[in-house]
Amino acid sequence: MSPRAFLFLLVCSHGFLALAAGKRSTSFRLKLFRRLAAAGSTRLERMQELFRDDQLRQAMIHDRLGRRLHGRRANEVSPPAQSFRMPLNSGVYTGNAQFFVRFFLGKPAQHFVLVADTGSDLTWVKCRLRLPGCRLCRGGGNGTRVFHPEVSSSFQPIPCSSDMCKTSLPFSLIECPTATAPCVFDYRYGDGSKARGVFANESATVVLSNGKHTKLRHLVVGCSSDSTGSSFQASDGVLGLGNSNISFATIATARFGGRFSYCLVDHLSPRNASDFLVFGHRPAVLSPSPPRETALVLDLEPFYAVGVDGISVDGKMLAIPKDVWDLSAGGGTILDSGTSLTMLAQPAYRAVASALNRRLAGIPRVKMDPFEYCYNWTTAPTKAAKNLPRMVVHLAGSASLKPPAKSYVINAADGVKCLGIVATPWPGVSVIGNILQQEHLWEFDLKNRRLRFKRSTCGKSTSRITVDNELT
């Protein structure tokens, strides 16, 4: 796929919203997915849809953070000697702006490709389930890979009469025809897509650092027998890496060292250019050079927030109001692997975009929606094209994120580059998307509430991992 085709899908598939039906429908939870461009629609229509989704999306982030939870999870267990990892690669080969992991669910294990999403706390897969008296269990999941719970000896539906269903599970419905009926969920998305099904406890097979297989038991997963929408065509569901009691990340890190890490390859990398999502100790975080480090704010479930002191361009700190970075003032910043473009609240966007544009003044401008600043690179003077402005995000505690220029001056089409940041309304939260995170190793230390990161080439070629049925 050409950079033009991919970027068009990227900007036309900006984040959309998951709205819940049922008893907790007022507690909105943002789902940071991407959808493919709708067939038959014009570019203008797609751009208008993008901006509508952005406006609604930011309103929902603000609402979600306004309802933030301050309860803490149970104490983490002591870290064991082992860790485990999952291959992680860009979804560009599918025309998708997400990052995918390989996941093995059930006993015996069934293989799936899931979106790695730090903005979501629910892990769910497309599923074919038949249960008496369950109206959401009649259909079958869409796609070539579908989970078959009837062949998994570890699959246990969560009853709708349980306290977990009533108080802890996101988007569970109030209906409970019988005490033993399963707890059902209903996700509704801003473009009409949906994912509905039942909650269950299930186990997953992971590969330890010593090469052996082990089970992670009592995971909370969604078995979706009714998922529709183009957003789900490229994957089999979502791996919830968000911060909450039910997320895969929380359950896995409680057993494996209280931390997880990932290294995102260049988002335009081919399918075989992969790195890993790792749970537990990862030697590369500390060697050969020490990482940068900042506080990880875990009070805004399910999001991971960080403190920002400011943004500089070519060494000059920009005049951005401090309230933009202050959660208590309606601002703040979250780090999200399910969002591609970096989104800055309006005062920050205006300062950053203007500063970058001034330093690119020697390159002819072109128009390309929805970006405000795009440049004709085919006619760019050699000196200007090589000496791109240096943008640095200064995080709290003197930790600086210094992304490569290609992460914020991005390829938008053949011979065209654009500033890969977009504005969001103020007040509102800013989001560091996965393109700005690429070619960095990130460690989320949940136990100690620290975020560590460092530059890395990532991009290891990995062969397909299989699970021996005799071990499952």
Side-chain angles (χ1 to χ4, degrees):
M1 173 172 291
S2 69
R4 174 193 294 269
F6 173 72
L7 232 299
F8 187 62
L9 285 173
L10 168 65
V11 298
C12 289
S13 59
H14 214 47
F16 64 100
L17 301 171
L19 305 180
K23 64 182 177 184
R24 277 185 287 280
S25 61
T26 57
S27 182
F28 297 121
R29 193 175 298 256
L30 182 71
K31 309 304 292 178
L32 302 175
F33 296 130
R34 291 288 174 275
R35 65 170 181 273
L36 301 177
S41 60
T42 66
R43 176 177 294 188
L44 177 59
E45 290 170 339
R46 291 168 182 170
M47 295 308 117
Q48 291 171 338
E49 186 177 14
L50 166 70
F51 286 119
R52 286 195 298 269
D53 288 348
D54 277 349
Q55 291 171 349
L56 184 58
R57 177 185 188 281
Q58 288 304 307
M60 300 308 291
I61 290 179
H62 185 69
D63 180 83
R64 181 68 181 93
L65 294 182
R67 303 167 185 268
R68 59 194 177 204
L69 305 175
H70 295 280
R72 296 300 307 143
R73 61 172 61 85
N75 291 335
E76 323 286 2
V77 301
S78 298
Q82 293 292 340
S83 62
F84 73 90
R85 66 185 190 177
M86 301 175 177
L88 176 68
N89 63 288
S90 169
V92 66
Y93 67 93
T94 68
N96 194 289
Q98 299 156 334
F99 282 81
F100 296 152
V101 292
R102 301 169 199 167
F103 190 69
F104 297 93
L105 185 67
K107 182 180 181 181
Q110 302 173 47
H111 168 245
F112 300 98
V113 174
L114 304 184
V115 175
D117 189 358
T118 60
S120 173
D121 52 358
L122 176 63
T123 294
W124 67 267
V125 295
K126 296 175 183 177
C127 184
R128 184 169 290 114
L129 178 63
R130 303 289 193 272
L131 288 176
C134 176
R135 66 179 182 84
L136 290 182
C137 301
R138 299 171 187 168
N142 301 317
T144 58
R145 287 180 299 264
V146 178
F147 182 61
H148 295 272
E150 73 278 4
V151 301
S152 173
S153 62
S154 52
F155 183 84
Q156 295 291 331
I158 296 173
C160 62
S161 58
S162 65
D163 289 339
M164 174 176 281
C165 181
K166 294 176 181 178
T167 62
S168 302
L169 297 178
F171 303 131
S172 58
L173 301 182
I174 196 170
E175 61 184 51
C176 192
T178 67
T180 58
C183 184
V184 299
F185 66 85
D186 189 353
Y187 277 29
R188 297 298 177 109
Y189 298 87
D191 69 336
S193 299
K194 63 183 179 180
R196 302 190 300 168
V198 303
F199 286 106
N201 290 125
E202 183 54 289
S203 63
T205 300
V206 297
V207 182
L208 299 176
S209 54
N210 63 5
K212 295 182 179 181
H213 300 94
T214 192
K215 293 286 188 185
L216 289 179
R217 306 182 191 280
H218 307 298
L219 301 175
V220 175
V221 299
C223 174
S224 176
S225 55
D226 182 13
S227 59
T228 60
S230 58
S231 54
F232 307 133
Q233 292 177 356
S235 70
D236 306 319
V238 175
L239 183 67
L241 299 176
N243 169 43
S244 85
N245 286 331
I246 71 162
S247 80
F248 181 84
T250 299
I251 296 172
T253 56
R255 179 175 172 184
F256 290 90
R259 66 190 67 189
F260 71 92
S261 59
Y262 58 69
C263 200
L264 302 182
V265 300
D266 187 302
H267 68 288
L268 296 177
S269 297
R271 184 176 185 176
N272 67 341
S274 300
D275 205 272
F276 294 97
L277 170 65
V278 176
F279 291 85
H281 177 59
R282 185 171 187 158
V285 174
L286 299 177
S287 64
S289 60
R292 298 180 176 91
E293 186 172 337
T294 190
L296 185 62
V297 180
L298 299 179
D299 299 323
L300 308 175
E301 297 183 3
F303 305 111
Y304 297 106
V306 292
V308 175
D309 292 335
I311 298 178
S312 65
V313 173
D314 284 344
K316 181 179 180 181
M317 192 68 77
L318 303 180
I320 300 172
K322 291 189 179 299
D323 283 355
V324 168
W325 315 122
D326 187 349
L327 286 163
S328 64
T333 306
I334 62 175
L335 199 73
D336 183 55
S337 66
T339 298
S340 294
L341 297 174
T342 288
M343 301 181 290
L344 298 178
Q346 186 65 36
Y349 169 80
R350 183 53 52 203
V352 173
S354 297
L356 292 173
N357 180 60
R358 283 194 298 271
R359 286 158 177 80
L360 296 171
I363 304 175
R365 291 269 300 274
V366 294
K367 291 185 178 181
M368 179 174 287
D369 289 336
F371 298 108
E372 183 176 4
Y373 295 99
C374 293
Y375 308 90
N376 185 344
W377 224 251
T378 61
T379 60
T382 301
K383 183 177 180 180
K386 288 185 177 181
N387 298 304
L388 296 179
R390 183 68 170 167
M391 184 182 78
V392 177
V393 181
H394 300 270
L395 302 178
S398 301
S400 296
L401 171 60
K402 301 176 181 179
K406 67 178 180 179
S407 295
Y408 52 89
V409 181
I410 63 177
N411 292 320
D414 294 338
V416 177
K417 292 182 184 290
C418 298
L419 299 185
I421 56 177
V422 293
T424 65
W426 171 253
V429 70
S430 297
V431 181
I432 298 176
N434 61 40
I435 294 180
L436 206 66
Q437 295 179 47
Q438 69 185 4
E439 296 189 351
H440 278 75
L441 174 59
W442 298 88
E443 181 183 73
F444 294 73
D445 185 343
L446 306 187
K447 182 178 181 180
N448 297 303
R449 298 191 176 200
R450 304 299 292 175
L451 176 71
R452 302 180 185 94
F453 60 96
K454 63 193 297 185
R455 282 293 296 271
S456 174
T457 55
C458 307
K460 306 296 183 183
S461 294
T462 60
S463 59
R464 191 177 189 84
I465 291 181
T466 58
V467 175
D468 187 337
N469 288 332
E470 294 182 1
L471 298 178
T472 59

